[in-house]
Amino acid sequence: MALISPFDIFYLSSRYFFLRTVWRIVFPFQAISFADFFLADIFTSMSKVFSDLERSVCRMVHRQVATIAWFEADSVCGSHAVAIPIVLVLPYLFRLFQCLRQYKDTREKTTLLNALKYSTAVPVIFLSALKYHVFPDNWVNIYRPLWLLSGVVNSLYSFYWDLTRDWDLSCFTRIFKFSRPNALSYLLYGRKWVYFWVIGTNLILRCTWTYKLSSHLRHNYLTVFAITALEIFRRFQWAFFRVENEWNKMNSKQNIQLSTIDKPNDEQKLLDPNGYSV
């Protein structure tokens, strides 16, 4: 209620900007801004949160709170419901459509490669959901190996993209080299161990989905909560370096523009009566 309140309380301008950005994410009919895909990337890390929210609302609507249906996996709001993988995949589809929109506007092929990255999450989600809708033998012999393969591909592809594109570390060749660092960069990002930490933890947390290989951990609520919280932490950590990379790009563009403006062209040199610059 506070988020959609029309009154000038609780940071109205920020709430309006947030809701407008969410609208642009769901309906990418306009050019994609940094805020659009930045928030959409964060939403991909919150897919499990959105799925739990959908299940909670579903149980309240169908009056399954504090009833025996809460423990029935085959109920309309149970863990086998078709709505769960649909809600899980929506943030990735939104990000996928954003990449396609960016390609339409810029014709940069890297946006298609980025779209491919998000498309690799689709088979992971739906193959995982198939476990509850196919025979056990088919799951073990056919769908489980496909799920493992798609999970590995998605994790490694995403990890590679984080390093080379989102953070622009260029496979460790440009690590720790920032032009004109600000105060925060000087205090934090100038320390090499921070980068080794974020690279190592990012790779490990990209592979936390492997906990589902254990039937004990898969249905342990504390484990699921911990994994979800760790993903939010990974994305929070990712955000610092993503913003830093964007800040560096903006600075480099400004420097190029200034150098272009300051540098006289051939016509100006010919018109200069002195023939030299003071």
Side-chain angles (χ1 to χ4, degrees):
M1 291 177 63
L3 183 63
I4 62 175
S5 172
F7 303 105
D8 192 7
I9 55 176
F10 301 121
Y11 307 98
L12 177 62
S13 60
S14 299
R15 290 188 288 108
Y16 174 76
F17 178 79
F18 175 78
L19 293 175
R20 185 182 63 179
T21 305
V22 172
W23 177 267
R24 290 164 61 94
I25 291 172
V26 178
F27 302 101
F29 299 136
Q30 62 288 313
I32 307 301
S33 66
F34 177 78
D36 296 341
F37 68 75
F38 185 77
L39 184 60
D41 273 329
I42 294 176
F43 282 170
T44 60
S45 293
M46 298 179 64
S47 58
K48 183 65 172 65
V49 179
F50 294 143
S51 175
D52 291 343
L53 180 62
E54 182 275 331
R55 292 182 66 183
S56 300
V57 173
C58 180
R59 292 188 185 281
M60 287 187 287
V61 170
H62 291 86
R63 299 185 179 182
Q64 292 185 0
V65 180
T67 63
I68 193 64
W70 184 277
F71 304 100
E72 295 177 353
D74 294 328
S75 66
V76 66
C77 302
S79 58
H80 299 181
V82 179
I84 293 178
I86 294 177
V87 175
L88 286 173
V89 82
L90 278 178
Y92 296 95
L93 293 181
F94 292 149
R95 194 65 186 89
L96 172 64
F97 293 146
Q98 283 185 336
C99 294
L100 297 179
R101 172 69 198 208
Q102 284 181 305
Y103 176 73
K104 178 180 178 296
D105 295 336
T106 63
R107 294 298 174 181
E108 293 183 2
K109 293 183 179 180
T110 54
T111 56
L112 294 180
L113 296 176
N114 200 14
L116 179 63
K117 182 192 74 173
Y118 292 103
S119 67
T120 59
V122 177
V124 178
I125 294 172
F126 283 103
L127 286 172
S128 179
L130 274 179
K131 180 180 181 180
Y132 307 110
H133 303 281
V134 297
F135 293 110
D137 291 340
N138 291 339
W139 166 253
V140 174
N141 298 324
I142 302 175
Y143 298 108
R144 190 172 183 266
L146 291 176
W147 172 69
L148 286 173
L149 177 62
S150 59
V152 171
V153 170
N154 174 258
S155 297
L156 295 181
Y157 197 166
S158 301
F159 174 71
Y160 167 80
W161 198 270
D162 287 341
L163 263 61
T164 60
R165 299 294 180 178
D166 289 343
W167 299 342
D168 197 18
L169 299 185
S170 302
C171 293
F172 311 104
T173 58
R174 283 190 62 247
I175 300 182
F176 329 126
K177 295 181 181 179
F178 290 106
S179 60
R180 298 174 59 189
N182 57 19
L184 184 60
S185 300
Y186 181 77
L187 294 175
L188 178 62
Y189 296 139
R191 302 179 181 182
K192 294 184 178 182
W193 68 266
V194 175
Y195 286 89
F196 288 116
W197 162 265
V198 75
I199 291 171
T201 55
N202 189 65
L203 176 60
I204 294 173
L205 296 179
R206 279 288 188 185
C207 300
T208 51
W209 57 271
T210 53
Y211 83 94
K212 295 182 179 180
L213 297 175
S214 170
S215 58
H216 174 69
L217 296 177
R218 183 186 183 92
H219 300 289
N220 186 291
Y221 294 110
L222 292 177
T223 303
V224 175
F225 173 79
I227 294 299
T228 306
L230 286 173
E231 172 58 21
I232 297 297
F233 168 76
R234 186 198 67 80
R235 181 62 67 178
F236 180 75
Q237 187 174 248
W238 169 92
F240 280 99
F241 296 88
R242 181 66 185 90
V243 172
E244 179 73 5
N245 182 34
E246 191 69 19
W247 183 83
N248 283 328
K249 287 181 180 178
M250 293 174 60
N251 271 348
S252 61
K253 289 180 180 178
Q254 290 177 357
N255 292 337
I256 292 174
Q257 291 176 353
L258 289 174
S259 62
T260 304
I261 294 173
D262 295 339
K263 184 178 180 180
N265 54 31
D266 294 338
E267 184 178 353
Q268 290 175 335
K269 291 179 180 179
L270 291 174
L271 294 177
D272 186 5
N274 298 323
Y276 61 90
S277 300
V278 179

